[in-house]
Amino acid sequence: MKQENFETQQVDTKQRILDAAEHLFAHEGFKGTSLRDVTGRAGVNLAAVNYHFGSKEALLRAVMERRLIPLNQVRIERITKVRDSALQKGQRPPVKELLRAFIEPTLQFKESSPGAEDFVALVGRSFSDPDDTVRNVFMKLIWPLFQLIFETFHEALPELSEKTLLWRLHFMFGAFSQTMHICCGRFHSDTIKMPLENDSKTIISMFIPFITAGMHAK
Amino acid sequence: MKQENFETQQVDTKQRILDAAEHLFAHEGFKGTSLRDVTGRAGVNLAAVNYHFGSKEALLRAVMERRLIPLNQVRIERITKVRDSALQKGQRPPVKELLRAFIEPTLQFKESSPGAEDFVALVGRSFSDPDDTVRNVFMKLIWPLFQLIFETFHEALPELSEKTLLWRLHFMFGAFSQTMHICCGRFHSDTIKMPLENDSKTIISMFIPFITAGMHAK
DNA sequence: GTCTATAGATTGATAGAC
DNA sequence: GTCTATCAATCTATAGAC
C-alpha cells in the first residue's frame, strides 16, 4: 500500500510536468526546450522540476520511461507470442506477423491518449538525436527489444547472413522512424506540406507489405 | 573577374568556419552548437561568424547550400538521364536504376572529402530536425529533387496509387536517412555499438534490393 | 578583416522563506 | 511542496579600436 492521496497536489504537479515536457521535447527537441518552457506550459513553478526530478536529464529519463517501458513490454509479449506459436508448429515465424506485432502496439498506443502522439514523435527521433543524453537514455530502454527482434527475424529468415539481416532491420527502423514523424505531423516545413493520410489502418496497410517484400528480397 | 587572391585570409576564414560548423552541426546538432564552439574549432575570432555570415541561421544556410546544391544537381542529372533513356525506348524507367541514380552520388560524395561525411550525417537528420530553421532551410533546397523523384517513380510504377507511392517513397527516404547516419558512425550510444560495414559498395548492395522489392510489393 | 570587450538575454540549478 | 529571488554560466550579436 502506498500513501493515500490526500495530497494530490504532488502527483498532479509531477504528471503536469511530464506531460508538458513530453510535448515540448517532441516538438522543440531536448536542447531546444528550456525548463522555463516546461514549467510555463505545465503551469507550475520553475523550481518544481528540480524538486521532483533533480535535473533536466532526469526529467527526460522519466518522460521516456513512463511510456516506453510499458509499450516495450507489450511489443515484446506480442513478438514472443508469434515466435512461440510458430516454433510450436515447427514453422518459422512469419515476417508479416512479426512486423504487425512490432508496429500495431505503437499505433494503438499513439491513439490511446493525446500525449502519446507527442511521445511517439519523440521516440521516432531519438534514434538519431545529436544529443548524447537523448540517445543514451533511449538506447538503453530499447535495447532488449532490438535483441529480441534480431533473434526472431533470424529465425524467420535463416537464409540471410547476419550482416544482411542487420542492414535490413536498420532499413525497417529507418522507415518506421520516418513514419512515426509523419503520422504525428512532424514532416512539414513553412513552405511545404505533405498531404498524407495517417490513420493506423492506412499506415499498417502501407508499411507491412513494403517491409515484408524488402525482407524477403532476392 | 572577381578580385585576385592577394588577400587569402578572408576566404580561408570563411572556409574554416564552414568546415567547423559542418562538423559540429552534424555531431552536436544546430541547437547544440554555439558560435563559440564553431570559432574555437575553426581557430578564428568569435566575431568572424557574424562578420562573414551575419547570423547563426545564415551560417547554417551557407553550410547547407555549399554542398547540397551541387549534390542535388548531380542527382537530378542522373535521375533525368535514366528517365529520358527509358522514355526514348518507350519503356518505363527501371526502379533499380532510379534508386542507384539517387544514392550513388551521395555515397561517392561522402567519400570525396573528410568533411563531406559530416555533411551527409547532417542532411540525414534534417528531415526530422525539431528546429524549424533546420527543417525549412533543408526542405527548400531538397524540394525540386523530391518532385522529380515523385514524378519519375510514378512513371516507373504507374500501377501504384499516388497515396501508395507517396508512402513508399517516405519509407525509402526514412531508410536512406537512417543509412546516412549509420554510414557516418552516428548510430551509437555509450553502451551500445553496432558492428556494421559501411563502405559504399556494401550499402548499395544492401539498399537497392531491399527498396526495389518494397517498391514492387504486391 | 581581425580583434577585445561587452551588451542583453537566457540558461540550469539552488538557497531559503513560507 | 511551493514559492521568490538569484547565482553563475552561457548564449547570440554588436560596437569600436586597430
Side-chain angles (χ1 to χ4, degrees):
Chain A
M1 288 283 164
K2 304 294 278 299
Q3 81 234 29
E4 298 298 318
N5 59 345
F6 43 74
E7 279 182 17
T8 58
Q9 197 61 16
Q10 173 190 173
V11 52
D12 252 26
T13 298
K14 256 184 122 161
Q15 296 297 335
R16 293 166 65 85
I17 290 173
L18 285 171
D19 291 341
E22 180 171 69
H23 181 270
L24 290 166
F25 290 165
H27 286 80
E28 312 296 334
F30 181 63
K31 275 260 163 62
T33 302
S34 72
L35 294 182
R36 282 166 179 81
D37 294 336
V38 173
T39 54
R41 184 182 172 89
V44 303
N45 188 271
L46 169 62
V49 169
N50 278 284
Y51 176 80
H52 285 287
F53 297 95
S55 69
K56 191 187 179 187
E57 180 170 335
L59 172 59
L60 172 69
R61 197 178 310 273
V63 167
M64 288 279 201
E65 287 175 352
R66 175 173 66 152
R67 300 214 200 255
L68 200 49
I69 287 176
L71 174 60
N72 280 349
Q73 197 176 334
V74 174
R75 294 195 280 197
I76 286 173
E77 278 166 12
R78 284 205 44 185
I79 291 170
T80 304
K81 191 175 288 180
V82 172
R83 182 222 278 247
D84 289 347
S85 143
L87 289 183
Q88 212 164 13
K89 291 182 277 184
Q91 298 171 340
R92 299 178 184 174
V95 169
K96 206 173 294 232
E97 291 309 309
L98 290 178
L99 289 174
R100 187 179 297 276
F102 174 62
I103 71 163
E104 259 184 4
T106 314
L107 294 168
Q108 282 164 9
F109 166 76
K110 176 180 84 85
E111 287 166 353
S112 66
S113 79
E117 182 162 315
D118 292 332
F119 179 75
V120 168
L122 171 62
V123 162
R125 207 181 38 239
S126 299
F127 267 109
S128 58
D129 202 286
D131 194 291
D132 290 337
T133 304
V134 176
R135 234 172 32 254
N136 287 334
V137 167
F138 173 72
M139 282 298 217
K140 205 165 283 183
L141 286 170
I142 210 74
W143 193 240
L145 177 60
F146 272 16
Q147 284 194 301
L148 176 65
I149 286 176
F150 181 77
E151 287 166 19
T152 318
F153 273 86
H154 184 60
E155 293 165 4
L157 298 160
E159 66 276 16
L160 297 184
S161 68
E162 283 210 359
K163 174 181 157 184
T164 301
L165 177 59
L166 209 47
W167 271 106
R168 291 187 179 186
L169 289 176
H170 271 300
F171 298 148
M172 190 265 275
F173 290 130
F176 184 66
S177 297
Q178 184 83 345
T179 304
M180 293 301 94
H181 284 116
I182 296 166
C183 79
C184 299
R186 303 296 302 153
F187 190 69
H188 294 319
S189 72
D190 279 356
T191 50
I192 294 148
K193 306 277 173 225
M194 286 269 185
L196 269 178
E197 298 172 61
N198 61 15
D199 57 293
S200 295
K201 238 185 109 184
T202 298
I203 292 172
I204 289 171
S205 73
M206 293 290 155
F207 187 82
I208 291 184
F210 183 92
I211 302 295
T212 303
M215 285 291 171
H216 284 110
K218 253 191 186 177
Chain B
M1 291 285 161
K2 306 292 280 297
Q3 81 235 29
E4 299 298 319
N5 59 344
F6 44 72
E7 280 183 15
T8 59
Q9 196 60 14
Q10 173 190 174
V11 52
D12 251 26
T13 298
K14 257 185 120 161
Q15 296 296 336
R16 293 167 66 86
I17 291 173
L18 284 172
D19 291 342
E22 182 171 67
H23 181 270
L24 290 166
F25 289 165
H27 286 81
E28 312 296 333
F30 181 63
K31 275 258 163 61
T33 302
S34 72
L35 294 183
R36 280 171 178 78
D37 295 334
V38 173
T39 54
R41 184 182 172 88
V44 303
N45 189 271
L46 170 62
V49 168
N50 277 284
Y51 176 79
H52 285 289
F53 298 95
S55 72
K56 192 187 179 185
E57 180 171 334
L59 172 60
L60 172 71
R61 197 178 308 274
V63 167
M64 288 279 200
E65 287 175 351
R66 174 173 67 152
R67 300 214 201 254
L68 200 50
I69 288 177
L71 174 61
N72 279 350
Q73 196 176 335
V74 173
R75 294 195 279 197
I76 286 174
E77 277 166 13
R78 285 205 43 187
I79 291 170
T80 304
K81 191 175 288 181
V82 172
R83 181 221 278 244
D84 289 349
S85 142
L87 290 183
Q88 212 165 10
K89 290 183 276 184
Q91 298 172 338
R92 298 178 184 173
V95 168
K96 206 172 292 232
E97 291 309 309
L98 290 178
L99 290 174
R100 186 180 298 276
F102 174 62
I103 70 162
E104 259 184 4
T106 315
L107 295 169
Q108 282 165 9
F109 166 77
K110 174 179 85 84
E111 288 168 350
S112 66
S113 79
E117 182 162 315
D118 293 332
F119 180 75
V120 168
L122 172 63
V123 161
R125 208 180 39 239
S126 299
F127 267 109
S128 58
D129 201 287
D131 193 291
D132 290 338
T133 304
V134 176
R135 234 171 34 255
N136 286 336
V137 167
F138 174 72
M139 282 299 216
K140 206 165 282 180
L141 286 169
I142 210 75
W143 193 241
L145 176 61
F146 272 16
Q147 285 194 300
L148 176 64
I149 286 175
F150 180 78
E151 287 166 18
T152 317
F153 273 85
H154 184 59
E155 293 165 4
L157 299 160
E159 67 276 15
L160 297 184
S161 68
E162 283 209 359
K163 175 180 156 185
T164 301
L165 177 59
L166 210 46
W167 271 106
R168 293 189 177 185
L169 289 176
H170 270 301
F171 298 148
M172 191 266 277
F173 289 130
F176 184 66
S177 298
Q178 183 84 343
T179 304
M180 293 301 94
H181 284 114
I182 296 166
C183 80
C184 298
R186 304 295 302 151
F187 191 67
H188 295 316
S189 71
D190 279 356
T191 51
I192 294 147
K193 307 278 172 221
M194 286 271 187
L196 266 177
E197 299 172 61
N198 61 15
D199 56 293
S200 295
K201 238 185 110 183
T202 298
I203 293 171
I204 289 172
S205 73
M206 293 290 155
F207 187 82
I208 291 184
F210 183 93
I211 303 295
T212 303
M215 285 290 171
H216 284 110
K218 253 188 184 177

